[in-house]
Amino acid sequence: MSRRDGAAAPLTARIRAGLDGFAALEHDWRVLFEASASEPAVSFDWTQALIRTEVAPSDACYIVEIRCGDRLVGVVPLIVRVARVFGQQHVVLRPLAELKNTHSDVLAGEPRGDVLRAFLEALRTIDCRWDSIRLSKLLEGHSATPLLESAAVAVGYTPRRRFRKAAYWLPLPRSLDEYLAGRSAKFRNYAKRAEKKLRATGRLQEIEITSPSEFEAGYDALLHVERASWKEPYGTSISALPRQAALFRELGRALAATGRLHLHLLTLDGEPIAHNYGCIHRGTYYYLKTSYAARQRPRSPATFLRLSLIAKMIVRGVSAIDFCGTPYEWQQQWTDTYRWHHVLSIYQDTWRGRMFSLLDPWIHYSSSGKTVEHEDPRSERA
C-alpha cells in the first residue's frame, strides 16, 4: 500500500490480549487469506472452529495484527502453553492453528521479512513472560522459515531448527489406471479382491457431500462409522472425543459454506461403513480423517473407498492428496512420496530463553530426515 505522496505506508503491529476482537477481523482476515498461498489451518474459518471447540476459558491467548497503513498484511493468533524441561517451567507461544493443524504456517500474505520481523518485535510487548515461540510442523522448504530465522536474529532472538516427522504425499497422475500401474501387483490384486467381496455382500452406495444442506446428515453418518470403528474401544475415534467431534462438525460447516468440503461415505445396504473427510484447498486434497466399521474389515471397505477417492480427485483435477501431519504405516501402501517437517523454535533474549535454546537438542524430537517413523493411531487422544 502506498501513500498519495508515493511513500510506503509504515508497518504497525498490534497485540490484542484474548480473543474478543477476533470477529472484528473477519473481513480483513478473509481478504488476506484468499490473497495468500497459506495452509488452510490459518484461515478464518479454521481458526474460528478451533476457538469455539479447543480453547478453554482459562487459556491465555493473543492476536498479533500487522498492518501496512490500513491494510492487514499479517495476523497470528497465539496460545500460551507451559511445559517442564529438566524441572524448569518453559513458557511457549504457539500459533493457535497448531492445536489441530495440517502443517505449520504464518498468515502473512506473500511471506516478507519486514512483516515477520514486525511480528517478532511485537512479541516483546506481550503482557506475559514467555521463553520461546514454536512452529512445530513447517514443511521443509517453506519460504517463511528462513525469513523467520533471519528476522529472529535481527531482533536479538535465537532460532533453532530441527527435523521432525514426515508426512505422506500423493501426487496424482492423469488417470486411475496410471496410478494403479505404479503400485505393486500385490496391491492391485488386493484391491480387486476387496471390491469383489464388498459387492458380493450387499448393495453398495457412495455418497459425496460438499454442500451445507447435506452436511449435518452426512456428519451424523460419519459419527456412526466412527462409533463402529476399531478406534472406539481405544478412545481415539472422533465420536469418543467430544471436543474433536465438535471441532470437525464446526469445521465441516465452514468448509461446506466456502466450497472446500469433501465428505465421502460408503454405505452397505443403507448403513454407513466407511468415510473419508477432507478439505480441498488450492488444488490439494487435505486428508483430515478416515475410518471404517470394524466388523467389515475382512471386506476392506477403507481400501475400496480410498481408491474411489483417488479416482474422483483425479477426475476433479486435484493435483495431490496430502496425508497431513502424522505418518501412519497404512499410508505407505498408497504412496512412496513424503515431505519432511521442521520444528522451528525462536528463543527470547533473556537468561531463561538462552538456557532453553542451549537445551533445544534435548527438548525436541529430531529425526535424521532419512527414515519415516510411523505412529501408532491406537495411542492418539486429543
Side-chain angles (χ1 to χ4, degrees), residues 100-136:
K100 284 283 187 304
N101 74 334
T102 53
H103 310 285
S104 298
D105 205 353
V106 174
L107 181 53
E110 184 67 28
R112 288 170 38 187
D114 57 343
V115 173
L116 296 176
R117 178 169 177 168
F119 161 60
L120 293 177
E121 284 182 329
L123 298 182
R124 294 188 186 280
T125 66
I126 209 164
D127 63 356
C128 78
R129 178 186 67 78
W130 61 276
D131 303 309
S132 71
I133 176 169
R134 182 185 306 161
L135 288 86
S136 63

Side-chain angles (χ1 to χ4, degrees), residues 175-308:
S175 69
L176 182 63
D177 286 343
E178 186 177 339
Y179 170 74
L180 289 171
R183 310 316 298 159
S184 68
K186 181 180 178 180
F187 175 86
R188 293 194 298 270
N189 290 334
Y190 175 76
K192 287 179 182 178
R193 290 195 305 271
E195 180 174 358
K196 186 176 180 180
K197 287 179 183 178
L198 269 173
R199 293 198 182 280
T201 304
R203 178 174 51 87
L204 293 180
Q205 182 183 9
E206 291 183 54
I207 304 169
E208 289 183 274
I209 293 171
T210 59
S211 69
S213 62
E214 303 168 307
F215 175 71
E216 298 301 331
Y219 191 72
D220 289 341
L222 176 152
L223 292 177
H224 178 90
V225 175
E226 290 282 325
R227 284 189 289 269
S229 74
W230 61 267
K231 301 175 188 178
E232 187 80 3
Y234 291 96
T236 60
S237 64
I238 299 176
S239 51
L241 298 163
R243 285 194 307 172
Q244 196 165 135
L247 169 66
F248 284 106
R249 190 182 289 274
E250 285 274 351
L251 183 58
R253 288 168 177 163
L255 291 174
T258 56
R260 293 186 171 101
L261 174 72
H262 190 271
L263 175 54
H264 192 199
L265 299 167
L266 179 65
T267 66
L268 176 62
D269 293 331
E271 181 185 2
I273 62 168
H275 78 79
N276 296 311
Y277 180 107
C279 165
I280 299 176
H281 178 65
R282 295 195 176 94
T284 296
Y285 176 94
Y286 289 81
Y287 214 148
L288 303 180
K289 287 292 177 180
T290 183
S291 198
Y292 62 92
R295 69 180 181 278
Q296 298 294 341
R297 183 177 181 181
R299 287 165 283 279
S300 305
T303 298
F304 174 87
L305 194 63
R306 193 168 297 119
L307 199 56
S308 175

